[in-house]
Amino acid sequence: MQLTLARHPVTDLRFDTPARLEGSILLIDRAELRRLVLEDESIVSVDFDIARPGERCRAGPIFDVIEPRAKAPGCGADFPGILGAPITAGIGTTHVLTGAAVSVLAEISPDPTRSATGRVLEMSGAPVEASEYSSLQHLIVIPHTKPGLPRQTLEKAYRLAGIRVAVEVARSAWNHLPTNLQTFEPVGPGEKGRDGRARVAYVGQIFSRQRKPAVDEPILYGANTDGMLPVMLHPDEWLDGAVVPSLHSWFGGTETYFYQNHPIILELYQRHQAREINFVGTVATIAGSDNFDRERHCRAAANLVKWNLNADGAVLSKYGGGLPHADLAETARLLEGMGIKTSVMVSDVSRDRRVESALLFNVPEVDAIVYNGGNGKQWEVPRVDRIIAATPEFTELLAGPMTIDASNIVGITNQQGASRMRAMVY
Amino acid sequence: MPCPYSRLSPRAYPEEFAMRIAHYLNQFFGGIGAEEHAGKELEVRDGAVGPGRLLESLLGNDARIVLTLVCGDNYAVEHQDEVTASVVEKVRHANVDLFVAGPCFDAGRYGMAAGALCRAVQAELSISVVTAMSEENPGVDLNRDALYIIDSGTSIANMRNVLDKMARLSRKLVTKEPIGLPHEEGYLRRGWLRDQLVEKKAATRLVDMLLAKMNGEPFESEMPPTAFAPIPMPAGVKNLSRAKLMLITDGGLVPKGNPDRIEGTAATRWGSYSIEGRDDLRAEDYEVSHGGYDTRFVQEDPDRLVPLDALREMEKNGVIGKLHDEFISTCGRSNPLSNTRRLGREMAAKIKRDGVDAVILTST
Amino acid sequence: MVQITSALPIAKMVGANRVVLGTGIVHVTGDAKLPPADEKELRRKLVQKALDALQSNERE
């Protein structure tokens, strides 16, 4: 595995033909993109828009945010298992348009009982310092689906539309000179050259069986993870399109953008490069549907970390809502029992803002906890000049002024490690 | 120039321009006397008393302790409702902006009273309240979520430093300034959450924390360990007349000479002492190693803490099957959980080994 | 186990299942103000209460 990212910084987006990258300006061919998106029969029409940092502009509900990336010709498949054959991701050169994002809107909130607006992209005002997305140039994709389709069909349509567009616009980089190239250092349980350094693994949940996945729901190399046991992945597979979020969006926050730019994996790579640790690999796991399922996965994941990765320490993250904290804690507990030190990252589930209501586990050995906040913070946001939304109802709903929760702004709460919103105990 | 506090206390006398304070002290800090006066009833004094004088000066020229309430520690705990009602009334009548209790350091009864009074005053009069005590003080866990409790530590030598922190926090509360985090203001963690944007993203914090843990370096978990897990209730004793009972105390009763050197505070040790053939405990055979209460009465008659005589009688009458030949003792004063969890586990192991069916634990 | 104590709130807080109220901090199973015979009777009653709690399955 040798992944090379060829970075092309983007500072502006404009609509024009033909699609191309001129310096740092990305010219986007709407007609071409429309043809591509409409190949999916679930979508009857699609609009495109652009949102720039600092603009008094708001878009939502956001279904996903994707970084425009395209494999160099001959270097493999984009989103293998979804857009093409499931060949191994993370090999060869991938072109990246940094500073840009493709953001797909949904026509419905993922959970209207929890939030009428769903997750919102806020490009100006107080919330922007809390989300990386506010500093990117966004190509907004607004698909309109055929009426009467089941919810999961809509969600799959949004997923495919987003990644197709992201790959297509990134192909403009094929004939463009990258500003820099980053080749990741080899990592793995058998790699030499870091004797004496602590062997560290990452265990990340990629799905939660609090819900059953759709038969054709693509998550890991296009498979829906149903019935699957934990599996070892090379870190570059996460970074290069092997994993996408589930169709159901959780308010804890998971976007394709932060799989491509996985904060935890990139952090471990940095320490590996600096020879502080020996990054030995990762395990992708699933939060169980019941006690047996949980037991089965936690043990299998811990065993992989111990016997296959031979790690001394592991960092763990979760996916989904509250119950997956049990899987998180149990996996960590088992690892600690095997002599492997752990740290875990939890989401904020406290409703009454009391610490005692927030911790969903009480395992003395699992004592290194990073606490992602977001449940207690709100902002008063003003009326903005422009709303980008799929329906007139949402245009109305998002207009403002209004009070918006931190967990309802995309990029503030995040289960992949990107968040800087911490829940402080006082 | 308008009084900065006038909007907070509309009933304040205009010519005084003062932050008016009521202060609660126990019998010791109130100047009445030591442990032997712990049964003293609630008294009212005009103006500042004892540490209140220093507190007043630390609060500033415009601050006045107009009322000091002094009560014996035992009286306050044993008559909590009556004392609370009385204090609330007197504080209400005094028209103050602030109610301060303590500092209590590690005096447990004092801390419990201070906490209860602060809670009541806050709830019924809606004025600012501040207290101070050490983290292990039982008054903390009972009240930490409702009150700002300055961490005083256990040493009275730090009085000035503690009063200074109390003064600064009080001022902020009265002027309704935003209150910072526990380590910034010096108060004990209250158990509430608030969101804050921090410099490092979660991924960085997560890896930093693991590496610190792996290197044996200190790290601060963003989530503190939980409080008390529920203890499953063992089934009731079915046949008491056949059961073997054992007495345990955390009141610090030990044989004369304290052979196991059980400490009177934060005890790290416990002992098991023979009562074979004895029908009651005699004063000349025992002493009390416990810094947290007036031990005279127990010294006079140790059965007042470890009721051997009553249980021996019940053994003779067949009410219980057998009283174990030994009783276990340690000192529960200011004892951190890190100690007591271990002590309890060790005792439980012995109790099991000795075939004991049930235990009576007496606690001061 | 049954706990005899005057500090009821603490016992509750740490999760003790069987708790009986004692007679004051300085003499939890006694009362120095009573004449000896009465004190013994008080102690007997208190210990009986504790024994009752040991046999019961009600949390108190």
Side-chain angles (χ1 to χ4, degrees), chain B residues 294-313:
Chain B
D294 185 345
T295 58
R296 274 182 300 154
F297 302 103
V298 172
Q299 184 64 77
E300 260 171 50
D301 180 3
D303 296 277
R304 285 175 174 149
L305 176 63
V306 180
L308 171 57
D309 55 1
L311 274 162
R312 191 62 85 194
E313 217 174 291

Side-chain angles (χ1 to χ4, degrees), chain A residues 322-393:
Chain A
L323 200 51
H325 287 94
D327 300 70
L328 182 72
E330 180 58 10
T331 311
R333 188 189 71 82
L334 291 167
L335 288 169
E336 294 279 350
M338 292 166 166
I340 299 168
K341 299 258 181 287
T342 64
S343 65
V344 303
M345 185 172 71
V346 307
S347 308
D348 192 0
V349 297
S350 131
R351 290 267 175 238
D352 61 5
R353 310 311 293 148
R354 282 176 179 268
V355 174
E356 65 197 11
S357 321
L359 192 60
L360 295 177
F361 54 86
N362 182 12
V363 181
E365 317 87 286
V366 183
D367 58 356
I369 303 169
V370 164
Y371 190 175
N372 284 315
N375 252 357
K377 176 78 185 161
Q378 283 109 15
W379 283 281
E380 296 298 320
V381 293
R383 199 163 190 87
V384 292
D385 300 334
R386 211 156 60 92
I387 302 287
I388 309 174
T391 66
E393 292 77 46

